[in-house]
Amino acid sequence: MGGEGTIGPMASASTSLSTPLSPAARADALRRMGTEELDVLVVGGGVVGAGAALDAVTRGLKVGLVEARDWAAGTSSRSSKLFHGGLRYLEQLNFALVFEALKERKLALETLCPHLAHPVEFLYPLQKTGIDRAYAGLGIGVYDVMGAGRGVPSHLRHHGRRKTYEDFPSAKPGALTGSITFYEGQVDDARHTMMIARTAAHFGALVASSARVSGFTRTAGRITGATVTDLETGGAVEVRAKHVINATGVWVDEIQEMIGGRGQFRVRASKGIHLVVPRERISSRTGIITRTEKSLLFVIPWGNFWFIGTTDTDWALDLAHPAASAADIDYVLEHVNALLLDPLTRDDVIGVYAGLRPLLAGEDESTSKLSREHAVSSPAPGLTAVAGGKYTTYRIMAMDAVDAAVKDLDAGTGPSITEDVPLVGADGYHALWNSRRLLAERTGLEQSWVEHLLNRYGSLLPELLDLVEADPTLAEPLADAREYLRVEAVYAASHEGALHLDDVLARRTRVSIETWDRGTKVAEEVARLVAPVLGWDDADVAREVEHYVARVAAERESQTQPDDLTADAARVGAPDVRVGAPS
């Protein structure tokens, strides 16, 4: 897979470049949470919870972070994978939210995680003459000006019919009169969230996934900690904390009920789905953003694929495993096909994923009109809750939650500094990227693989090369998921907190939605690669593979069902593997 040569000096990292989220580190974190009083316990390992843990620990606080399943297992792995200001919010004249989001986009792309995020160009097709260009051009123009210099090129361009069809050859003939192109930011949301948790651990936070809060402790009416169940062993830990932050997203109300009632705001879950289709099925130089009768539809470039979405519908069923129905899939296909010469069919769909947005409930019944802004409240002494918002503004939400929490702590805690704290892997990334040709020569890897690894691990690359040096077979691609190297599976378990096969295939990589078989063919190979790290025997490997195959089958079945109710019933037939842990 590469030229002659040895791994060379890049592989000789005698010590880890950052604190790994290893099985041993997780066990130690839970042990310490049971013996040391924390300043802040954050509940919820999505992007906001991980962000709150990082914010708090970099203020000098003693912090714990627990997540019931895997890092980013819920909403934070199922977004449109964009850092964006939000054109729809501009249309609602919510300039403050747009400006805030554009500032955060710049921070992410330029400072906080340039190894994970990058600009991506989009085309907004115009379907009417005159008023369409004037209306869309004004809105996108204001958006571009507001975002000028904020992480992406300020290169808004108006194009006529000929240039539009040159850029978007798959467009239906005669359907478009022109287009406008502009830039947004793109990120792998699940990897980004995991990296935030890992960065928090690097600065001293105690972090543990598969650790579910099953109750809260009180002293004189004040929340003073929580009971945390280790879903891997069945053991329980009593965690003492001066303050608890509830950052559980769509589960905020459920956690609130544990303390005896609702908080000062209510959350409604809105389901959004995305389809994954092969890149060759749509010929376009750029991504595409177009309007629907309810919202915007994105056709997002993602390596050899397009992600197409999303929907925006109320969801009141299983929160852990939202299901995409046949109606959802048909809705997305209908709207994207309105633009395409060669319509997509269900046979073109490689993967589907569904996620839930935690929206602040309002009077309007349409979830597309509920607030995308966030709220922070203190529903009980010693407890802060945060919900709402959007992925792009996670850092602001986290900061606001910690600001509320520290009012309850001893004086002397400083303000947030996360604006200036790059995630692990960011420092040195640009220098390594510029040296990627030399890295390929030194390591024997093809340059395309070096680029792939740098854009997923940044300056943590030597940690993977150490593993390859110890076992050169890890430099080979996975047999039935050849866009990833074998070392990435091992590293997911040894350094990135993956505890189960699903964690590796659905979140540390995107094999579950990027292969026609959705990862079932590579499942056993990956399970055997991570088995030594996670202490699995043959029975454990078989159980993990069986569970993963059942999960894929349940998702496929749900996607043939006509509506949410029947889709949900099909999907819950394969419960989370962690549910089977001893209790």
Side-chain angles (χ1 to χ4, degrees):
M1 59 170 292
E4 303 243 344
T6 60
I7 296 300
M10 272 296 293
S12 58
S14 58
T15 59
S16 178
L17 299 177
S18 67
T19 302
L21 299 182
S22 64
R26 174 186 176 276
D28 185 61
L30 285 170
R31 179 190 61 78
R32 290 180 59 190
M33 278 191 256
T35 59
E36 305 173 16
E37 184 181 28
L38 304 173
D39 292 315
V40 175
L41 173 66
V42 181
V43 183
V47 71
V48 176
L54 177 58
D55 188 286
V57 76
T58 52
R59 298 191 198 204
L61 299 173
K62 183 177 286 188
V63 177
L65 169 65
V66 295
E67 158 59 36
R69 296 185 294 162
D70 183 28
W71 309 115
T75 303
S76 296
S77 60
R78 306 176 191 186
S79 73
S80 294
K81 312 192 192 321
L82 296 174
F83 282 127
H84 65 102
L87 279 172
R88 75 162 79 177
Y89 316 129
L90 187 62
E91 194 170 78
Q92 297 164 4
L93 303 182
N94 194 336
F95 296 103
L97 181 59
V98 173
F99 193 80
E100 178 180 81
L102 290 171
K103 176 186 174 183
E104 293 303 307
R105 182 183 72 182
K106 173 183 172 67
L107 272 174
L109 271 68
E110 294 184 353
T111 303
L112 303 184
C113 55
H115 55 314
L116 302 175
H118 61 271
V120 60
E121 188 176 8
F122 281 94
L123 177 149
Y124 186 97
L126 303 173
Q127 297 174 288
K128 300 176 184 176
T129 57
I131 185 92
D132 194 17
R133 182 179 294 277
Y135 180 77
L138 177 62
I140 298 173
V142 170
Y143 185 73
D144 190 63
V145 169
M146 291 177 70
R150 296 188 181 275
V152 303
S154 182
H155 285 166
L156 179 146
R157 294 288 185 270
H158 284 258
H159 303 294
R161 189 192 307 267
R162 177 181 297 177
K163 174 62 173 171
T164 297
Y165 279 92
E166 287 177 1
D167 286 346
F168 182 18
S170 282
K172 189 179 296 183
L176 308 182
T177 62
S179 62
I180 302 169
T181 54
F182 62 102
Y183 283 82
E184 289 286 15
Q186 185 171 65
V187 68
D188 184 328
D189 50 7
R191 289 199 60 75
H192 175 251
T193 296
M194 178 274 297
M195 285 289 200
I196 298 172
R198 189 171 171 186
T199 306
H202 181 67
F203 285 105
L206 305 175
V207 306
S209 61
S210 258
R212 175 179 294 158
V213 168
S214 51
F216 290 95
T217 54
R218 293 176 183 262
T219 302
R222 178 183 177 82
I223 302 297
T224 54
T227 301
V228 175
T229 300
D230 180 350
L231 297 184
E232 300 303 309
T233 67
V237 177
E238 296 297 329
V239 181
R240 294 174 296 132
K242 296 175 184 176
H243 201 95
V244 176
I245 294 177
N246 175 7
T248 54
V250 292
W251 284 273
V252 160
D253 292 345
E254 182 178 298
I255 295 294
Q256 192 63 35
E257 290 172 1
M258 289 186 185
I259 65 168
R262 287 193 174 275
Q264 294 163 295
F265 54 75
R266 187 167 56 88
V267 169
R268 274 178 59 185
S270 168
K271 183 179 67 171
I273 79 150
H274 290 78
L275 311 182
V276 183
V277 302
R279 191 69 175 263
E280 63 267 20
R281 279 297 285 115
I282 300 175
S283 177
S284 179
R285 185 183 63 81
T286 69
I288 301 157
I289 299 178
T290 187
R291 289 200 61 82
T292 71
E293 69 278 7
K294 295 180 180 179
S295 184
L296 296 174
L297 184 78
F298 293 83
V299 181
I300 304 164
W302 184 269
N304 293 324
F305 310 96
W306 297 101
F307 288 172
I308 308 174
T310 180
T311 56
D312 199 346
T313 56
D314 200 28
W315 178 265
L317 300 168
D318 182 64
L319 296 179
H321 304 293
S325 68
D328 293 326
I329 295 170
D330 290 343
Y331 173 88
V332 174
L333 289 175
E334 176 187 355
H335 283 82
V336 71
N337 284 339
L339 294 174
L340 300 179
L341 168 63
D342 183 13
L344 300 174
T345 71
R346 289 185 63 108
D347 290 339
D348 295 310
V349 177
I350 296 175
V352 182
Y353 65 93
L356 300 176
R357 306 176 190 90
L359 304 181
L360 299 181
E363 297 299 322
D364 197 287
E365 288 302 309
S366 168
T367 59
S368 65
K369 296 180 181 178
L370 295 182
S371 176
R372 262 62 176 178
E373 297 187 63
H374 69 274
V376 175
S377 72
S378 297
L383 178 67
T384 292
V386 57
K390 50 190 297 218
Y391 196 98
T392 304
T393 56
Y394 80 91
R395 196 190 64 82
I396 301 296
M397 296 174 65
M399 178 179 66
D400 288 350
V402 177
D403 280 346
V406 298
K407 291 177 183 178
D408 203 27
L409 301 176
D410 297 334
T413 303
S416 173
I417 65 166
T418 52
E419 188 170 324
D420 300 311
V421 179
L423 302 187
V424 292
D427 283 340
Y429 161 74
H430 291 298
L432 289 172
W433 180 258
N434 290 341
S435 302
R436 61 195 184 278
R437 178 180 59 82
L438 296 177
L439 287 174
E441 292 176 3
R442 292 174 192 164
T443 62
L445 295 173
E446 294 175 4
Q447 185 171 320
S448 60
W449 280 118
V450 172
E451 293 173 355
H452 164 84
L453 294 173
L454 284 173
N455 283 330
R456 286 171 53 76
Y457 307 93
S459 56
L460 300 179
L461 175 61
E463 295 180 349
L464 287 93
L465 297 181
D466 278 347
L467 295 173
V468 171
E469 186 173 47
D471 180 359
T473 67
L474 297 181
E476 296 300 322
L478 292 166
D480 290 291
R482 299 189 67 81
E483 292 198 354
Y484 298 95
L485 297 180
R486 288 160 58 87
V487 68
E488 296 183 76
V490 175
Y491 188 80
S494 64
H495 287 69
E496 296 184 334
L499 298 174
H500 293 279
L501 183 57
D502 186 63
D503 302 343
V504 180
L505 297 180
R507 286 171 291 279
R508 304 306 181 277
T509 69
R510 294 295 186 171
V511 171
S512 66
I513 56 173
E514 292 177 348
T515 57
W516 286 103
D517 60 277
R518 304 197 183 180
T520 55
K521 289 183 179 179
V522 81
E524 183 164 355
E525 179 185 6
V526 171
R528 294 203 176 278
L529 282 169
V530 302
V533 180
L534 298 176
W536 293 351
D537 58 20
D538 287 345
D540 295 321
V541 168
R543 177 177 59 84
E544 288 282 334
V545 172
E546 181 182 10
H547 174 270
Y548 183 79
V549 170
R551 193 212 82 166
V552 170
E555 286 187 347
R556 286 187 181 277
E557 177 64 20
S558 71
Q559 292 155 17
T560 67
Q561 301 304 308
D563 53 40
D564 283 350
L565 197 62
T566 52
D568 176 71
R571 177 60 186 88
V572 297
D576 194 299
V577 66
R578 290 168 174 83
V579 174
S583 58

